[in-house]
């Protein structure tokens, strides 16, 4: 079995277990543990517990690998593989009881920096929606036994999604971006969970997605899903504090880049 498939199977198995833990904790009631970058950027006890579970399972299965997690940070490894983990992507949805949250687990090769890494495997599990999306480099993206494919034509305009992040100071700029993009859109969705937005692009449920300021764990698995489903993902302004991620089928991706990349 190829390394990518092996890693994808492990990511999927752990994402299933972690998703069940997240869902159980949600049913028991969520306790908010802290705020992070802004008042709206919350972390729940469950985020920490789920990340600890994922980290323990990975350490048991592949002790030489590195780890980069949203809640507990980075730890180097010696195998050249790093696991990039968001234990609960869409934490605000989770806290409010909106089912659009997920566990996102990716394995990347090379430096754990999205500017240079090569993603090999990814799993995005949305337990409250009953869906899991998986990908292995060179082996496609899959959900429930179905191979995923991005959309290629959008004659009535593109169904797009975006997110605004949690810092109120950035909302005005993000709304201005939305204004520039709307002429190519059929409509715009705002789900609040980046990995799920990307999984939906891979599944052809959205034609494209763009968001500024994502962190590596928000998109590591989802970006591979899109690429393995025949789509294109790029990041612009990568050296700024809020790089923009752009994903879609080849045509929609190109249209978004033409509108959003000033250097284009
Ligand atoms: C969040 C996202 C959300 C995005 C935020 C944030 P978290 O992840 O998925 O859609 O707009 O910037 O990154 O913090 O809930 O794991």
């Amino acid at each position: 079995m190829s390394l990518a498939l092996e890693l994808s199977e492990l990511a999927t198995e752990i994402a299933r277990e972690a998703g069940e833990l997240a869902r159980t904790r949600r049913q028991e009631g969520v306790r908010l543990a802290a705020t992070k970058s802004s008042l709206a950027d919350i972390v729940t006890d469950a985020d920490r517990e789920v990340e600890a579970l994922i980290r323990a399972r990975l350490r048991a299965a592949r002790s030489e690998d590195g780890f980069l997690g949203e809640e507990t940070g980075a730890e180097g490894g010696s195998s050249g593989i790093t696991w990039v983990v968001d234990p609960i992507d869409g934490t605000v949805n989770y806290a409010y009881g909106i089912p659009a949250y997920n566990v996102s687990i990716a394995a990347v090769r090379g430096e754990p920096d999205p500017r240079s890494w090569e993603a090999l495997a990814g799993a995005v599990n949305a337990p409250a929606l009953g869906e899991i999306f998986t990908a292995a480099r060179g082996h496609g993206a899959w959900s429930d036994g179905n191979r995923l494919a991005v959309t290629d034509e959008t004659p009535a305009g593109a169904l797009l999604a975006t997110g605004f992040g949690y810092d109120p100071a950035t909302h005005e700029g993000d709304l201005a971006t939305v204004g520039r993009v709307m002429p190519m859109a059929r409509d715009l969705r705002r789900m609040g969970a980046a990995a799920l937005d990307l999984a939906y692009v891979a599944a052809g449920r959205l034609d494209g997605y763009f968001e500024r300021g994502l962190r590596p764990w928000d998109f590591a698995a989802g970006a591979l899903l899109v690429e393995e489903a025949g789509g294109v993902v790029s990041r612009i302004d990568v050296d700024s504090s809020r790089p923009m991620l752009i994903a879609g089928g080849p045509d929609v991706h190109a249209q978004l880049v033409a509108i959003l990349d000033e250097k284009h």
Side-chain angles (χ1 to χ4, degrees):
M1 191 191 293
S2 79
L3 175 63
L5 270 179
E6 216 175 279
L7 298 173
S8 169
E9 284 187 5
L10 181 61
T12 305
E13 184 191 315
I14 297 175
R16 278 191 202 286
E17 188 185 355
E20 274 322 299
L21 176 61
R23 199 160 66 102
T24 303
R25 290 292 177 263
R26 178 65 199 122
Q27 279 161 355
E28 292 166 357
V30 168
R31 216 178 70 93
L32 301 185
T35 62
K36 291 190 288 187
S37 62
S38 76
L39 269 183
D41 192 358
I42 54 171
V43 57
T44 65
D45 283 341
D47 284 88
R48 290 180 177 157
E49 191 183 353
V50 173
E51 185 159 312
L53 172 84
I54 296 169
R55 206 164 176 161
R57 293 286 180 268
L58 287 170
R59 196 174 287 134
R62 293 185 52 95
S63 58
E64 317 281 274
D65 295 351
F67 185 86
L68 176 63
E70 174 167 30
E71 311 305 340
T72 52
E75 186 183 313
S78 56
S79 65
I81 303 291
T82 299
W83 292 90
V84 185
V85 170
D86 193 341
I88 300 178
D89 171 55
T91 318
V92 173
N93 283 349
Y94 184 76
Y96 273 73
I98 297 171
Y101 64 86
N102 64 88
V103 174
S104 173
I105 301 179
V108 306
R109 180 156 56 195
E111 287 299 305
D113 176 342
R115 286 174 293 193
S116 60
W117 75 34
E118 179 187 42
L120 294 181
V124 172
N125 182 19
L129 301 174
E131 287 196 301
I132 181 158
F133 304 86
T134 63
R137 177 164 295 276
H139 296 275
W142 298 81
S143 184
D144 201 19
N146 299 312
R147 190 163 185 157
L148 307 182
V150 298
T151 54
D152 54 1
E153 297 203 350
T154 54
L159 184 62
L160 300 174
T162 192
F164 299 141
Y166 299 131
D167 181 359
T170 60
H171 290 167
E172 200 178 326
D174 288 343
L175 285 169
T177 302
V178 168
R180 285 160 63 202
V181 164
M182 282 316 276
M184 68 170 276
R186 175 186 192 124
D187 204 344
L188 182 77
R189 297 289 178 264
R190 171 76 187 87
M191 275 201 297
L196 210 51
D197 286 316
L198 288 161
Y200 279 19
V201 172
R205 298 175 186 171
L206 290 169
D207 299 309
Y209 165 71
F210 58 96
E211 180 165 351
R212 268 199 189 284
L214 293 177
R215 309 302 305 278
W217 41 82
D218 294 321
F219 63 83
L224 182 65
L225 288 170
V226 172
E227 286 169 356
E228 285 297 320
V232 186
V233 180
S234 57
R235 289 169 81 231
I236 59 175
D237 303 335
V238 284
D239 293 322
S240 75
S241 61
R242 301 186 73 226
M244 180 180 282
L245 189 92
I246 300 173
D251 183 51
V252 167
H253 173 269
Q255 287 183 57
L256 283 169
V257 169
I259 294 170
L260 296 173
D261 189 354
E262 268 132 34
K263 294 184 292 304
H264 199 70

